[in-house]
Amino acid sequence: GDRVTALPIKTCQKCEPCADGLPSLCSSSLFTGTNLETPGAYAQYVKARGVMLQPLPAGVSFADGAMVEPLAVSHHAVDMAGDVKGASVLIIGAGPIGVGVALFARLAGARHVVVSEPAETRRQRALDVGATHALDPRAGDVAEAFAKIADKRPQVVFECVGNRGLLQQAIELVGVRGRVVVAGVCFEEDQIRPLAGVTKEVSVQFSQCYTEHDFSGVIDALAKGRADASPMLTQIVGFQELPNAFEALRKPTDQCKILIDPTLA
């Protein structure tokens, strides 16, 4: 009868990443609902390993609980950046992960949290969760616009899109001894010019999913009212609406996160 969410990962429990509490880095990890060995998706019941369960405190709704997993990806990316307190941060992309990064970067004490995103609705969503500024990269040079806001180059750049060329752009945009965190997943070969990073001693950190610490951190922030996931929840549908909702996502959209409520007609 407990209200819970769970890390949706089946791991081997034998390898070094598992021993270190890094389930998403297990080479044998399988994510719930993505293959026949770990069914789930829209099943009535889903099996989860007990150690992966995270209780939802009173005040954290089921809708909030359903947002914990995507928010944990963003929480992990911010955690991978190290100390961002007082830092000037640039986020490339305001999809679900970029918006979540804006939220947690502000909670971590970043002074400037600037989002670069061409879609107006997404820019506004980032501002709604805590970004201090939002730029349209089509309207002018991002580096110049950022410098007008922060008086310097970004100390941390989060790449939250995954398109080719954006890692190189992030390296070029970040300041001397700056940090680039790669949260966007590029599924094809990409190229960088290392000299752009060498001349500034740039650190590049890749971020993959989350840990139990990230889940508990997100739940705690929601329970204490420090984080509000509602701006990211753009639609709730029932099973009858689900096929059309999926089909609509084939085209460019302003949707952020769609939840399914099985009680709806």
Side-chain angles (χ1 to χ4, degrees):
D2 290 346
R3 300 168 62 254
V4 299
T5 185
L7 278 73
I9 312 174
K10 179 184 177 183
T11 59
C12 72
Q13 298 289 293
K14 299 175 183 177
C15 67
E16 186 176 335
C18 284
D20 290 341
L22 302 171
S24 67
L25 302 186
C26 170
S27 60
S28 303
S29 64
L30 297 172
F31 281 76
T32 301
T34 60
N35 59 78
L36 294 177
E37 287 187 53
T38 54
Y42 311 121
Q44 186 174 4
Y45 297 103
V46 179
K47 188 191 299 184
R49 194 185 297 269
V51 296
M52 294 295 188
L53 293 180
Q54 297 268 354
L56 298 178
V60 176
S61 67
F62 278 125
D64 286 337
M67 296 294 289
V68 169
E69 194 271 350
L71 284 171
V73 177
S74 302
H75 186 281
H76 188 67
V78 173
D79 196 51
M80 296 296 279
D83 186 8
V84 298
K85 188 174 182 179
S88 296
V89 169
L90 174 65
I91 301 166
I92 300 175
I97 304 309
V99 170
V101 167
L103 189 162
F104 289 111
R106 280 294 280 169
L107 288 182
R111 181 183 179 191
H112 300 289
V113 177
V114 183
V115 173
S116 174
E117 164 61 53
E120 182 179 358
T121 305
R122 291 186 171 195
R123 290 197 301 272
Q124 184 57 53
R125 189 173 294 127
L127 293 170
D128 290 342
V129 301
T132 58
H133 301 80
L135 307 173
D136 183 348
R138 302 168 302 181
D141 185 85
V142 172
E144 290 180 6
F146 189 95
K148 288 180 181 178
I149 294 167
D151 259 347
K152 57 183 174 183
R153 288 177 177 267
Q155 293 159 281
V156 184
V157 176
F158 292 91
E159 196 285 281
C160 299
V161 180
N163 288 347
R164 291 179 65 182
L166 288 182
L167 176 54
Q168 176 65 32
Q169 185 182 115
I171 293 171
E172 292 172 354
L173 285 167
V174 77
V176 171
R177 289 199 166 181
R179 291 162 278 166
V180 172
V181 178
V182 185
V185 181
C186 185
F187 287 96
E188 51 190 329
E189 285 191 5
D190 200 358
Q191 291 183 328
I192 63 167
R193 295 186 295 280
L195 189 61
V198 170
T199 54
K200 295 185 290 185
E201 293 191 341
V202 172
S203 299
V204 178
Q205 173 71 60
F206 289 85
S207 178
Q208 156 72 345
C209 289
Y210 33 64
T211 65
E212 291 176 77
H213 162 75
D214 297 302
F215 261 62
S216 60
V218 170
I219 292 170
D220 184 65
L222 291 169
K224 292 179 178 176
R226 298 177 67 231
D228 179 11
S230 61
M232 299 174 64
L233 176 53
T234 49
Q235 189 179 6
I236 299 176
V237 300
F239 285 121
Q240 286 188 339
E241 299 172 89
L242 185 57
N244 289 337
F246 260 118
E247 193 62 31
L249 292 175
R250 292 182 184 273
K251 301 175 183 177
T253 176
D254 288 330
Q255 295 281 18
C256 187
K257 280 294 176 183
I258 301 174
L259 297 190
I260 302 165
D261 183 346
T263 66
L264 296 178

